[in-house]
Every structure is written in structure tokens, then in C-alpha cells.
Amino acid sequence: MAGLSIEDVHGHGDDPVYALEVATERVRVARAAIDASNPHVLLTGRAECFLYGHPDPLREAITRLQAFADAGADVLYAPGVRSRSDIAELVDALRPHPVNVLMGSDTGLRVSDLEELGVRRISLGSALTRVAWGAFLRTAREVADTGSFMGLGDAASFDELNQLFARDR
């Protein structure tokens, strides 16, 4: 195992987010287990405030992620933060700890923008899968609706895929 992520949600009820004390203890217990078994495993603490409709997700994410850093998280992650100003404030509030940002859609930001803001890790989550499914659906609709196979022109070649997945590359 190279890394694991501890989320602060339980996913049910009106408030799917664990109380801060419980969420922080989960990170602390994970850190202790990692340290006892393989101290090279990266622990990411996640604050899901932006995804679960918290009224002030930025403030709450900062509070939670600071507590997770104190409990031993190596990387701090608030999936759903999107704006340049929120990302900058998050990174500044959590320095010197590395911050991960999820880029699940086109926000207008580029890798260089995130780097300039101090982001240390970028996740794409399900975005590449959704892009692939979008291409699949567009092409399938085009074939069904117009009889055209033009959408197949963007397909990766077998040679490219074979090189990508070759064992000895």
C-alpha cells in the first residue's frame, strides 16, 4: 500500500459528516496504525465540506484539515473547492502541509495556476472516466442518429494502447 485516505463522512442522515472530534480521532488512529505497520504509507485527511453542502465550506474545511494535520495526516484534501481565491486561502491556511485539489471539471485553472497557488497534489477523481463515457455516448448517439462513424476518428490506436500497457516499457 502506498497511501490511504480518511474521509470525514459516514454518508447517512441529515448531517453525513462526522463531528470534528470523531473525524480527527479517525485520522489519529489511522496514523498510529500506519506508523506501527509501514511508516512509508501516505495518509491523506479529507474534509468533505464542499461536497455535502456545509453553509461555510471553506472555513469548516480549514478547521477540519488543520485538526487532521495535527492528528498526523500527511496531505490535506478538500474535494470540491473550485475557485482560485478559495484554493489560495486553503493553501495559505494549511502551510506548510501539502494540499491536494480535485479537478473534476474545467474551472479555467491550469496545472501551472495550481502550482503557483501552492497546490502540491492534483487529483482527477472520476473525471477521466466521465470524459471517456462522454465520448462513448456522443459517438454511439452519432452512429444511431446519423449513421456516421466520424466519432471513431478520435479513438486511440491499438499500437498506442499496447505501448501504454506494455509490461516492459
Side-chain angles (χ1 to χ4, degrees):
M1 177 172 26
L4 62 97
S5 183
I6 301 295
E7 297 181 8
D8 66 348
V9 295
H10 49 77
H12 51 274
D14 290 336
D15 185 6
V17 179
Y18 285 111
L20 179 58
E21 299 77 26
V22 173
T24 303
E25 182 62 17
R26 289 167 43 90
V27 173
R28 189 174 287 108
V29 167
R31 174 84 274 152
I34 289 168
D35 288 347
S37 62
N38 183 353
H40 302 292
V41 171
L42 185 76
L43 176 60
T44 300
R46 290 176 54 138
E48 309 286 326
C49 312
F50 285 92
L51 301 181
Y52 285 93
H54 190 279
D56 190 358
L58 181 60
R59 293 285 141 248
E60 185 68 11
I62 289 170
T63 297
R64 287 174 167 270
L65 292 173
Q66 286 171 335
F68 298 167
D70 291 343
D74 299 307
V75 175
L76 306 172
Y77 185 22
V81 62
R82 297 175 44 89
S83 75
R84 178 184 292 270
S85 61
D86 283 354
I87 293 169
E89 192 169 339
L90 189 71
V91 169
D92 287 342
L94 299 172
R95 285 189 203 285
H97 303 287
V99 172
N100 183 88
V101 171
L102 172 67
M103 296 307 294
S105 63
D106 183 5
T107 63
L109 294 171
R110 300 175 54 85
V111 169
S112 58
D113 296 324
L114 295 172
E115 181 180 30
E116 182 180 292
L117 291 170
V119 171
R120 298 276 301 280
R121 195 170 119 192
I122 301 168
S123 296
L124 296 176
S126 64
L128 293 178
T129 301
R130 291 182 293 110
V131 167
W133 274 109
F136 172 90
L137 292 170
R138 278 190 304 281
T139 302
R141 286 184 192 117
E142 181 180 14
V143 171
D145 294 346
T146 70
S148 170
F149 298 102
M150 292 200 47
L152 299 177
D154 292 331
S157 71
F158 283 113
D159 284 343
E160 182 180 10
L161 294 174
N162 286 334
Q163 287 176 12
L164 178 66
F165 293 108
R167 288 185 183 196
D168 59 340
R169 51 178 189 122

